Amino acid sequence: MDKLRAESGTLFAQEMALSAYLEGLLTPVTAELGPASAVPLPAPLPSVGKLPVEPTVRQETALKVVHPVRRDPAETVPTGLPIIDEPESLTPKVSDNVVPAWASDGFECLLFYVGGLKLAVPLVKLTRIVACGERITKTPGRAPWFMGIMRFDDHQAGVVDTAKLVFPRDRLSRRVEEMGNADSAEGYSRILMVEDGRWGLCCDRVDTVVSLSADAVRWRTEKTTRRWLAGTVTEQMCALLDVESLTGEIEARGKEP
Amino acid sequence: MNIVAVANQKGGVGKTTTTVSLGGLLAQAGERVLLLDLDPHGSLTSYFGFNPEGEGAGVYTLFQRRAQGEALNPGGVASLTGVDGLSLICASTAMATLDRQLGAREGMGLVVAESLAQLRAQYSWVLMDCPPMLGVLMVNALAACQHLLVPVQTEFLALKGLERMLRTVSMVQRSRTRALDVTLIPTLFDRRTRASIDTLRQLREDHTGMVWPGVIPVDTQFREASRAGQPLTTMRPSARGSKAYAQLLEWLLAETPLGGAIPLREVSRG
């Protein structure tokens, strides 16, 4: 049953994507477009998948604190996912202050897996998906989670071992054990390019795209720890990435001695 | 003006051959025919000796003009093919970047339809050779045409590709104001092979009422005609392939809304 629902969810999401695409193309334009609307010619790299990504809505502050929080141990969370800070109310009404601007009118997410942990990244933050076979140049003396740099479009992008960045120590050890003591970077198949392609997050596999409303997510209201976690997608029971906070943390950690 | 798209999301099924052959037959019958190469690979463009790697005016120019807010002026981008009554708007490899450049920008699916509307007085028939993938060019073709021809190679893998193509068509149908007539054309039929015979039977069972009752046979003379830059139907009207396309055109004119455009007796039968 769950499998069936997952399958129909996949079909629905794909149909939605196609419908939106066709609707856009086939909507007559009344006003003539000016030269300013011309899009510069890109120089695409080979990729394994390209998703129709909306223009990124930049946010100065990803999420605002609206009221004190308490930990609710009764809350069901994705297996292996740390307990998420919850608002006081057990049935919180989604507040506009908490919901990022790009999510307010509904949004789409790509679900992907890292070491058995299901994560979601908003499509508006995703630039492209590329194969892990892309050449990654290792750079000595960097943090353990920094796998190296790779050429992406016309610039260099940093590639991140996502497991090392988001997993707690014990879970990371388990992953390494499960992989026959190989480095956690072994086995990654895809790189999710985010932040206009400046960073690549490695993952084991890409799943599907789901359409969500803002109240389908338990948004975190205070982020003193795990800043990369925007909230939990309740139906899919997975962690929603806060890409800006995550890359901010990567850059901050990168400056650590 | 009759506007026909020739499309299938599987490559190598005979899209360009179908476009050229039908275009040649119609031109022979005295029609003013415009061919549009909407495939960035530019097979149709190369067929008539033009270079898709070049930067000459063509389909890409129309999209450039629309993006820059200029008049489309489609008449100015058509080239003569050397075959009487047959003109061509060329493809260029730059067209492969259109999806990336345009995304799903409003109105960009209607550039071809609007261009053809401006050419009603110059041409009586338009045949469009479509790209083998869903994208802005395929959407343009499906939005502009009245009739869709889907060449289907008579081998089992092609049936899978056909399902994908028909799903795409049904999606675009919802955005169209008029229904789109679809005809499936069995191509590359080799009567000596079991696979061809079985696939043809399966195709007719699965898509009753949509399949042209004839077949386009494997014919090595198609390749010779492409080297000469001439439609086979013009170069060798008595070839098996030419005769098959003449029968297809006759059937289309008699059995579909495309009928009545030209007297059937004037269609060359070789």
Side-chain angles (χ1 to χ4, degrees), chain A residues 15 18-29 32-35 37-45 50 128 153, chain B residues 60 66-70 97 99-110 114 134-136 139 143 168 171-172 174-175:
Chain A
E15 192 152 318
L18 268 174
S19 294
Y21 174 71
L22 293 170
E23 193 179 318
L25 285 173
L26 298 170
T27 301
V29 180
E32 283 289 7
L33 298 159
S37 60
V39 184
L41 193 72
L45 275 184
K50 184 168 170 284
R128 205 182 305 164
D153 282 354
Chain B
Y60 189 79
R66 164 49 52 85
Q68 288 160 5
E70 297 170 9
T97 67
D99 269 290
R100 167 127 191 191
Q101 291 186 76
L102 301 173
R105 246 170 67 182
E106 281 196 351
M108 281 297 178
L110 301 169
E114 288 166 26
L134 174 64
V136 68
V139 171
T168 299
M171 291 289 301
V172 176
R174 293 175 216 170
S175 307

Side-chain angles (χ1 to χ4, degrees), chain B residues 132 145 220:
Chain B
C145 72
T220 54

